[in-house]
Amino acid sequence: MSKSSDPRNRAELPQQDVVEALAFAQQAIQLAGKIALDYFRQPLTVENKLEDGRFDPVTCADREVEVFLRQELGSRFPGFGIIGEESGITPGHSDINWVIDPIDGTKAFISGFPTWGILLGLQQGAKALAGLMHQPATGELFYGSAAGAYLRHHGRTTAMQSRQDVHLADALLYCTHESMFANEANLAAFRRVAAHARLQRFGGDCYSYCMLALGQVDLVVEDTLQPYDIVPLIPIIEAAGGVVTDARGRTPVTGGFVVAAANRNLHEQVMALL
């Protein structure tokens, strides 16, 4: 990497360095996908990370994928920090961090549905620089940065663009589940939006956001997201022409309530209903 990307330098990471990091991440995430596939639709021990009656599953696939990615990224980019769902924060020597969700959609994973994915993002301060989502069962790799948003599938790379002319009355809205809303006010806000959309569907996890970038889905509205749930998806959506914010219109690098829309006008329509 160039001298300007020295971890001690707080200037924004040069675009060429982002491109190089993204290229390495594509290789690493696809290798990690092979680990996940070894456990998919196989007998699997499932643990619950919560003790309050709710269910937040974790499996050895989650842990092994994250360990692998931490090792690969830490070796190649020793100055960058790593933030992962299963092992927390490993500080680096700069404000640049890799953000890992080893299996986003573990509930779908243990149910045998291929709507889960491996998420990997590159973040500097409050800015998401690049992101990837790999779905090993379908062989799809979605990735995005300032250079554009792309889908790689069976050796073919396709530039992605979200639907730029759709309005709320014609929008296809996805949400993983209503149970993810933190309180009645947030749930009511979601239902106001859903009542104006053409179609509402549940499920999808990270896959819904990638379908938005691909021009198949128009809206995703969710709540109680963690940073690792959304940071890797932000660059993909934005590079495809979409808009993704929290309920106050800010880039949702801290997670929480998230509105992802295919275009700015659609996003403004949704925000007016919150």
Side-chain angles (χ1 to χ4, degrees), residues 83-116:
I83 302 170
E85 178 177 9
E86 306 306 333
S87 298
I89 299 173
T90 300
H93 302 299
S94 71
D95 59 345
I96 303 171
N97 293 290
W98 290 105
V99 182
I100 304 170
D101 191 341
I103 304 285
D104 182 87
T106 301
K107 293 175 183 176
F109 183 88
I110 65 176
S111 302
F113 283 84
T115 53
W116 53 277

Side-chain angles (χ1 to χ4, degrees), residues 14 21 40 42 46 48 93 100 107 140 151 154 168 185 187 204 213 224-225 236 246 252 272:
F40 186 50
Q42 301 296 319
V46 179
N48 186 4
H93 302 299
I100 304 170
K107 293 175 183 176
E140 294 170 305
L151 165 61
H154 295 321
L168 183 55
L187 178 58
T224 62
L225 297 185
I236 299 174
D246 63 15

Side-chain angles (χ1 to χ4, degrees), residues 168-181:
L168 183 55
D170 298 314
L172 307 184
L173 167 65
Y174 261 72
C175 172
T176 298
H177 199 274
E178 283 193 345
S179 63
M180 70 193 309
F181 289 91

Side-chain angles (χ1 to χ4, degrees), residues 5-225:
S5 66
D6 188 306
R8 293 168 295 183
N9 192 328
R10 297 291 174 147
E12 184 169 321
L13 195 65
Q15 183 59 30
Q16 181 57 40
D17 290 355
V18 175
V19 169
E20 292 176 12
L22 187 57
F24 182 86
Q26 290 176 35
Q27 299 173 17
I29 202 171
Q30 290 178 94
L31 291 173
K34 296 179 180 180
I35 298 172
L37 272 187
D38 285 342
Y39 293 102
F40 186 50
R41 295 178 179 168
Q42 301 296 319
L44 196 61
T45 299
V46 179
E47 300 174 33
N48 186 4
K49 293 193 284 187
L50 302 178
E51 298 179 354
D52 59 2
R54 294 176 297 158
F55 182 53
D56 186 10
V58 63
T59 72
C60 51
D62 297 80
R63 295 189 176 108
E64 289 184 22
V65 167
E66 182 166 324
V67 166
F68 174 81
L69 287 174
R70 282 178 174 273
Q71 291 173 342
E72 291 293 302
L73 297 170
S75 176
R76 177 64 179 83
F77 305 97
F80 294 1
I82 298 177
I83 302 170
E85 178 177 9
E86 306 306 333
S87 298
I89 299 173
T90 300
H93 302 299
S94 71
D95 59 345
I96 303 171
N97 293 290
W98 290 105
V99 182
I100 304 170
D101 191 341
I103 304 285
D104 182 87
T106 301
K107 293 175 183 176
F109 183 88
I110 65 176
S111 302
F113 283 84
T115 53
W116 53 277
I118 302 172
L119 294 181
L120 179 57
L122 183 64
Q123 179 179 352
Q124 182 171 18
K127 184 174 183 178
L129 301 175
L132 309 93
M133 192 284 265
H134 179 40
Q135 212 315 307
T138 64
E140 294 170 305
L141 175 62
F142 302 85
Y143 59 98
S145 68
Y150 300 93
L151 165 61
R152 183 174 299 162
H153 189 217
H154 295 321
R156 179 181 178 183
T157 300
T158 304
M160 297 191 294
Q161 184 177 52
S162 58
R163 289 195 276 223
Q164 295 300 298
D165 57 353
V166 68
H167 296 277
L168 183 55
D170 298 314
L172 307 184
L173 167 65
Y174 261 72
C175 172
T176 298
H177 199 274
E178 283 193 345
S179 63
M180 70 193 309
F181 289 91
N183 51 53
E184 288 299 321
N186 287 5
L187 178 58
F190 166 76
R191 288 177 173 170
R192 283 196 298 274
V193 175
H196 287 79
R198 182 179 187 183
L199 175 66
Q200 173 188 332
R201 299 288 292 173
F202 290 107
D205 296 292
C206 59
Y207 203 81
S208 298
Y209 294 89
C210 293
M211 290 299 98
L212 187 152
L214 191 60
Q216 302 297 307
V217 171
D218 304 305
L219 273 175
V220 184
V221 181
E222 298 187 324
D223 196 10
T224 62
L225 297 185

